[in-house]
């Protein structure tokens, strides 16, 4: 539950939760804020509907990811991607995600690619895991930020080294950093816990090759 602060207004986007069970520690009580029926919809009809990237690498699981910008839809399936315009026409691909980092050391397409559109900077962010010594370390996260709003153009590129296996990374964009969570393993079996990572967004948007990350 969130603590109610009567001095904070709605504009601060605070979600008040007044739900309190009758008895402390009571179990199996009904959730009074759970929606148990479908409401009526009044939204627009689907504007565009088209086939995305197929699982051409037969990855199990396919680990699909996609995001939309003002002019593009960028769709990733594990280690391959396709870039479409918003009418569904293919602009690039499908190609392997590793092509973004061609020529860089330790560049192997290990999967779990993630793409996000950074709407505050009008740029694209793409990551993929790279484990050239699997199942041994070091392990790498390949990361790229588009140099313009066009994801079919040029990219700034980095590789970040991890001593632990950073499995199933999930990325987020914010004003002060790019943030990532991942499951950390000493190898693919021994679980350590959840890692939280912050990347120097300002440096990456300017293409600084010395852009840093901090792992918690």
């Amino acid at each position: 539950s969130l603590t109610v602060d009567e001095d904070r207004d709605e504009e601060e986007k605070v979600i008040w939760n007044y739900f309190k069970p009758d008895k402390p520690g009571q179990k199996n009580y009904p959730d009074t804020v759970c929606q148990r029926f479908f409401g009526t919809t009044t939204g627009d009809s689907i504007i565009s509907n088209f086939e995305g990237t197929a699982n051409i690498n037969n990855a199990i699981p396919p680990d699909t990811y996609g995001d939309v910008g003002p002019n593009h839809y960028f769709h990733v399936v594990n280690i391959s991607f396709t870039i479409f315009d918003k009418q569904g026409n293919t602009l690039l691909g499908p190609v392997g995600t590793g092509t973004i980092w061609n020529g860089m050391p330790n560049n192997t397409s290990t999967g779990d690619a993630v793409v996000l559109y950074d709407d505050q900077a009008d740029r694209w962010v793409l990551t993929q895991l790279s484990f050239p010594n699997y199942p041994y370390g070091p392990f790498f996260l390949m990361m790229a930020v588009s140099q313009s709003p066009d994801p079919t153009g040029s990219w700034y590129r980095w590789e970040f080294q991890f001593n632990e296996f950073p499995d199933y990374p999930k990325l987020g964009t914010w004003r002060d950093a790019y943030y990532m969570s991942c499951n950390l393993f000493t190898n693919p079996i021994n679980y350590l816990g959840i890692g939280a990572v912050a990347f120097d967004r300002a440096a990456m948007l300017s293409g600084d090759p010395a852009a840093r990350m901090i792992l918690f």
Side-chain angles (χ1 to χ4, degrees), residues 110-180:
T110 310
D112 274 358
V114 175
V115 63
L116 286 181
Y117 173 65
D118 181 349
D119 60 341
Q120 298 182 69
D122 196 14
R123 301 283 192 88
W124 294 85
V125 185
L126 180 68
T127 65
Q128 101 171 352
L129 296 178
S130 180
F131 302 158
N133 306 305
Y134 182 88
Y136 306 104
F139 308 100
F140 299 90
L141 178 82
M142 312 300 288
M143 194 163 183
V145 174
S146 66
Q147 296 184 19
S148 75
D150 182 4
T152 67
S154 298
W155 294 76
Y156 298 125
R157 310 176 303 167
W158 298 265
E159 62 177 38
F160 294 97
Q161 181 173 325
F162 291 74
N163 294 324
E164 294 83 21
F165 183 116
D167 191 35
Y168 206 57
K170 293 299 167 222
L171 197 66
T173 65
W174 199 241
R175 293 184 297 272
D176 56 356
Y178 293 126
Y179 290 99
M180 187 184 81

Side-chain angles (χ1 to χ4, degrees), residues 169-192:
K170 293 299 167 222
L171 197 66
T173 65
W174 199 241
R175 293 184 297 272
D176 56 356
Y178 293 126
Y179 290 99
M180 187 184 81
S181 65
C182 57
N183 296 316
L184 294 175
F185 295 82
T186 54
N187 57 46
I189 298 175
N190 297 325
Y191 179 64
L192 289 177

